[in-house]
Amino acid sequence: MERRGKYTLNPTPNQTFEITGFGEYDFATILHHSYELQEQEHNIEAACNERFHAFQRIVALIPEDEEITLEWEHTNTRAALEIIYASAVDHFLINDFEMAAGMFEMLLDLDPEDHTGCITTLAFCYVAMEEYELFDEIANDVSDKLPEKHLLMMWAEYRRTGEIPEGEVRVLSFKHRLFFEEFRAVEHPANEEYMQGLEADPPTRQSLARQLWLQTENLWTLHPDFIEALREK
């Protein structure tokens, strides 16, 4: 058992570690409060700062000289992993792809099973940074069932060669038609119909398609040529 200040890093029989703590190491409370700042008080900057400062504390408590896996089933430890994910997304959305990629890579080291599903956004980061070798290394880990996989393959090939692969276009337009049409649309309003679709059980495919656009819109603002080429298909 290792004790440092207000937290404890405990080994488990599963060969994982749990983070117990209070105050600035009560990551479950910190994560919840950051979302309250963002959603109820609309103070996005404060929410992002709170998550990033918590991320810095998580980095400091992880031993540098050994590989460890954090326990997903432990509430405070799961919150720590979710903070890393959320802060990485914060950086992704402001186009700090290098920082976001580093955080996602750390998250995968701590959670090899990728409970947060961060590998998909990491793949977007790699393409944005033109790190194609790194992208190729993880591309097969993104499920072929996801529309994101086909968007990634199209965008990566387009950035490399200036051409969108026809096979991926056919797959996306056939298997994920609503996503294909959403990414070719001119407007993507986050209106009441969209919100109701997200809140449905299960969420509607139309709303999920728009959510994916909104989650990656910063990429297409930076690289509108890809969307323009997709609209011509």
Side-chain angles (χ1 to χ4, degrees):
M1 180 181 296
E2 183 179 350
R3 295 184 182 276
R4 298 182 186 173
K6 298 180 180 179
Y7 73 88
T8 306
L9 195 59
N10 293 320
T12 76
N14 300 326
Q15 296 185 325
T16 59
F17 287 82
E18 296 174 349
I19 304 170
T20 60
F22 59 93
E24 61 184 3
Y25 294 98
D26 181 354
F27 295 118
T29 297
I30 291 167
L31 181 64
H32 178 72
H33 182 247
S34 77
Y35 287 136
E36 283 187 335
L37 287 171
Q38 183 171 321
E39 296 167 8
Q40 297 179 17
E41 300 182 26
H42 306 290
N43 194 339
I44 295 175
E45 181 178 0
C48 292
N49 286 337
E50 183 154 337
R51 288 190 285 265
F52 184 63
H53 292 151
F55 163 74
Q56 291 176 311
R57 292 194 294 277
I58 295 167
V59 171
L61 67 84
I62 299 298
E64 296 181 2
D65 55 351
E66 61 181 297
E67 295 183 6
I68 72 168
T69 299
L70 294 183
E71 178 56 56
W72 179 256
E73 299 302 326
H74 181 258
T75 300
N76 197 56
T77 312
R78 179 188 298 191
L81 293 168
E82 291 175 336
I83 283 171
I84 299 172
Y85 174 80
S87 190
V89 170
D90 292 338
H91 285 81
F92 172 82
L93 292 174
I94 61 171
N95 303 330
D96 188 352
F97 303 119
E98 186 172 351
M99 183 67 178
M103 296 169 81
F104 285 134
E105 289 164 353
M106 174 185 173
L107 182 56
L108 286 172
D109 287 340
L110 296 173
D111 177 32
E113 293 186 26
D114 191 18
H115 290 91
T116 60
C118 74
I119 199 163
T120 302
T121 314
L122 175 58
F124 277 114
C125 288
Y126 285 157
V127 179
M129 296 189 297
E130 299 183 284
E131 293 284 0
Y132 300 124
E133 290 186 7
L134 294 174
F135 170 75
D136 291 340
E137 288 178 8
I138 67 169
N140 288 335
D141 294 327
V142 180
S143 173
D144 291 337
K145 297 179 181 180
L146 296 176
E148 292 96 319
K149 174 63 172 285
H150 306 291
L151 282 166
L152 278 162
M153 299 305 291
M154 287 192 293
W155 188 39
E157 187 64 19
Y158 181 77
R159 295 209 72 193
R160 283 165 155 161
T161 68
E163 299 291 335
I164 296 179
E166 294 292 340
E168 294 293 346
V169 172
R170 286 194 295 271
V171 171
L172 188 67
S173 62
F174 179 71
K175 290 188 175 181
H176 306 284
R177 183 76 188 179
L178 292 175
F179 288 82
F180 181 68
E181 294 299 339
E182 184 67 37
F183 274 71
R184 297 170 73 235
V186 176
E187 297 182 350
H188 313 269
N191 52 20
E192 185 176 350
E193 181 182 1
Y194 161 70
M195 297 304 298
Q196 289 177 346
L198 281 185
E199 294 169 0
D201 186 18
T204 66
R205 294 283 287 173
Q206 181 66 64
S207 288
L208 289 174
R210 184 153 304 164
Q211 182 183 53
L212 179 57
W213 167 274
L214 294 173
Q215 288 173 337
T216 57
E217 186 175 12
N218 60 306
L219 296 175
W220 320 128
T221 300
L222 285 174
H223 304 284
D225 54 333
F226 170 68
I227 299 301
E228 291 168 6
L230 192 60
R231 286 174 180 154
E232 295 175 1
K233 294 294 178 181

